[in-house]
Amino acid sequence: EVQLVESGGVLVQPGRSMKLSCAASGFTFSSFPMAWVRQAPTKGLEWVATISTSGGSTYYRDSVKGRFTISRDNAKSTLYLQMDSLRSEDTATYYCTTDYYWGQGVMVTVSS
Amino acid sequence: DIVMTQGVLPNPVPSGESASITCRSSKSLVYKDGKTYLNWFLQRPGQSPQLLTYWMSTRASGVSDRFSGSGSGTYFTLKISRVRAEDAGVYYCQQVREYPLTFGSGTKLEIK
């Protein structure tokens, strides 16, 4: 069974950092580009970042460029999102996804 | 950035009827390989998104043949035949032609 399990979401103050993880199982993780997609409360889906299979190429939306870093460890079948200088507008449920497979999401709340 | 604009459905749709959801892109989603890089997702209430179709018209594995995607380079339709209660939720189109990847704002389907 395919599983993507996100972790690391908490309440954090503006300007602080947080790292999300996504543990994958049930498929060949290293063969899939991976992405983070977020959804603010009551809002639509918003693409955040994508990483290639090797990790050699990464892509970000402008609003997180320079603040967020997507990475992966294929040996551990795990995807990461390092989020620095967090802002209130980063508050959302964050999903890790291959497009085909989606995690259950992890809530990140940025508030003082 | 490519802007994705989705239409509105005349909700609720009677069970057993058909529903067509439209999506328009601000730029052609046809790549040099001839494929059209357009995904459709369904997000049921309280759940993670589910991929329905990719490359505009290819159904994802396990997706009912009641779902069919079609369109041109900039105008797309997702048709749902014989709608059922389980089809209720918000439908999103997404372009994966170029970065930044962008979603439409979503189209809500309610079933009567």
Side-chain angles (χ1 to χ4, degrees):
Chain A
E1 180 194 4
V2 171
Q3 281 197 313
L4 291 170
V5 180
E6 301 97 338
S7 60
V10 289
L11 171 63
V12 65
Q13 292 180 325
R16 303 296 290 267
S17 298
M18 178 188 297
K19 188 171 186 176
L20 304 182
S21 299
C22 172
S25 60
F27 66 103
T28 307
F29 177 78
S30 59
S31 297
F32 286 79
M34 295 294 299
W36 290 97
V37 171
R38 67 186 179 184
Q39 186 170 37
T42 74
K43 300 296 184 184
L45 301 173
E46 183 174 83
W47 170 79
V48 175
T50 294
I51 187 167
S52 62
T53 53
S54 67
S57 295
T58 56
Y59 308 88
Y60 300 91
R61 67 180 301 105
D62 283 349
S63 63
V64 307
K65 213 172 286 185
R67 300 189 299 122
F68 289 12
T69 303
I70 188 172
S71 61
R72 65 191 297 161
D73 184 334
N74 285 340
K76 294 183 178 179
S77 294
T78 301
L79 176 72
Y80 303 100
L81 186 66
Q82 174 68 44
M83 303 186 291
D84 299 324
S85 303
L86 281 161
R87 306 167 180 169
S88 58
E89 55 263 38
D90 296 319
T91 294
T93 295
Y94 285 73
Y95 297 98
C96 73
T97 177
T98 69
D99 280 352
Y100 245 98
Y101 310 124
W102 289 70
Q104 83 287 351
V106 61
M107 184 67 198
V108 172
T109 303
V110 183
S111 175
S112 54
Chain B
D1 299 1
I2 298 177
V3 177
M4 305 298 290
T5 304
Q6 291 187 231
V8 177
L9 279 174
N11 283 314
V13 177
S15 179
E17 298 290 303
S18 294
S20 290
I21 300 170
T22 62
C23 172
R24 189 187 308 268
S25 60
S26 61
K27 178 180 174 179
S28 174
L29 302 186
V30 181
Y31 191 56
K32 54 188 177 184
D33 61 4
K35 293 175 180 169
T36 302
Y37 283 79
L38 187 281
N39 294 336
W40 283 102
F41 295 91
L42 163 60
Q43 187 174 32
R44 297 183 176 94
Q47 295 188 18
S48 302
Q50 173 194 0
L51 179 67
L52 297 175
T53 66
Y54 57 95
W55 294 337
M56 187 177 69
S57 59
T58 301
R59 264 188 305 276
S61 177
V63 172
S64 170
D65 59 6
R66 296 185 300 105
F67 293 88
S68 61
S70 63
S72 63
T74 59
Y75 189 80
F76 313 98
T77 303
L78 178 71
K79 183 178 179 180
I80 311 165
S81 302
R82 306 179 303 282
V83 298
R84 303 174 180 174
E86 69 207 47
D87 300 334
V90 180
Y91 290 78
Y92 295 94
C93 59
Q94 180 201 31
Q95 68 81 16
V96 290
R97 167 65 178 78
E98 65 182 40
Y99 292 101
L101 308 184
T102 47
F103 288 91
S105 57
T107 299
K108 189 172 186 178
L109 173 62
E110 298 174 348
I111 310 298
K112 180 168 59 177

